[in-house]
């Protein structure tokens, strides 16, 4: 099992910056990707950014050019640098880890693990 501990959320003014951190522990040897999702009341949880163990990244269109995801494999920690924050970025941000394994028959499957969530509020 994988445990995720998040930090770095808070209140920031529009145009400001925050850096979120997520440290993974437990059965981490097979984590293939880590990322960040966010959710606001009344809406589905959406992908913000994802980074694979090989360093490939994916971003939601709404945050491209403003957010940067990075991973320190030695520390088993993923970061989300958020710049030029907008009020619409306000949400609960959840750390996510994906652990892809193979069945005995050869098929693969992915387990998702989630952090507790951290509130990010962008407001004047």
């Amino acid at each position: 099992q994988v445990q995720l501990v998040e930090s770095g959320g808070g209140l920031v003014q529009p145009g400001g910056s925050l850096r979120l951190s997520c440290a993974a522990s437990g059965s981490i040897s097979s984590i293939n990707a880590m990322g960040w999702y966010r959710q606001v009341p009344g809406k589905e949880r959406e992908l913000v950014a994802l980074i694979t163990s090989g360093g490939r990244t994916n971003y939601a269109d709404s945050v491209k050019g403003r957010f940067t995801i990075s991973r320190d494999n030695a520390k088993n920690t993923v970061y989300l640098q958020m710049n030029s924050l907008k009020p619409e970025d306000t949400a609960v941000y959840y750390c996510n880890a994906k652990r892809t394994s193979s069945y005995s028959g050869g098929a693969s499957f992915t387990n998702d693990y989630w952090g507790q969530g951290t509130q990010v509020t962008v407001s004047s």
Side-chain angles (χ1 to χ4, degrees), residues 81-100:
Q81 180 66 47
M82 304 185 293
N83 298 324
S84 302
L85 283 162
K86 304 175 180 179
E88 51 263 43
D89 295 318
T90 296
V92 177
Y93 284 70
Y94 295 90
C95 183
N96 169 263
K98 299 184 184 297
R99 190 171 182 268
T100 301

Side-chain angles (χ1 to χ4, degrees), residues 12-117:
V12 65
Q13 294 188 144
S17 298
L18 283 174
R19 190 179 79 158
L20 305 183
S21 300
C22 176
S25 62
S27 301
I28 59 177
S29 62
S30 297
I31 292 177
N32 304 106
M34 296 183 68
W36 294 92
Y37 292 70
R38 67 186 182 188
Q39 187 171 28
V40 299
K43 299 185 67 176
E44 290 187 353
R45 189 174 300 182
E46 65 174 354
L47 173 68
V48 177
L50 182 72
I51 186 168
T52 69
S53 59
R56 194 186 91 240
T57 59
N58 294 95
Y59 296 93
D61 289 341
S62 59
V63 306
K64 286 181 179 177
R66 300 188 297 118
F67 291 9
T68 302
I69 189 170
S70 61
R71 182 175 181 177
D72 186 339
N73 288 326
K75 297 182 180 295
N76 300 306
T77 300
V78 66
Y79 306 93
L80 184 67
Q81 180 66 47
M82 304 185 293
N83 298 324
S84 302
L85 283 162
K86 304 175 180 179
E88 51 263 43
D89 295 318
T90 296
V92 177
Y93 284 70
Y94 295 90
C95 183
N96 169 263
K98 299 184 184 297
R99 190 171 182 268
T100 301
S101 302
S102 297
Y103 291 109
S104 297
S108 64
F109 65 97
T110 299
N111 290 326
D112 282 286
Y113 304 90
W114 297 93
Q116 77 284 358

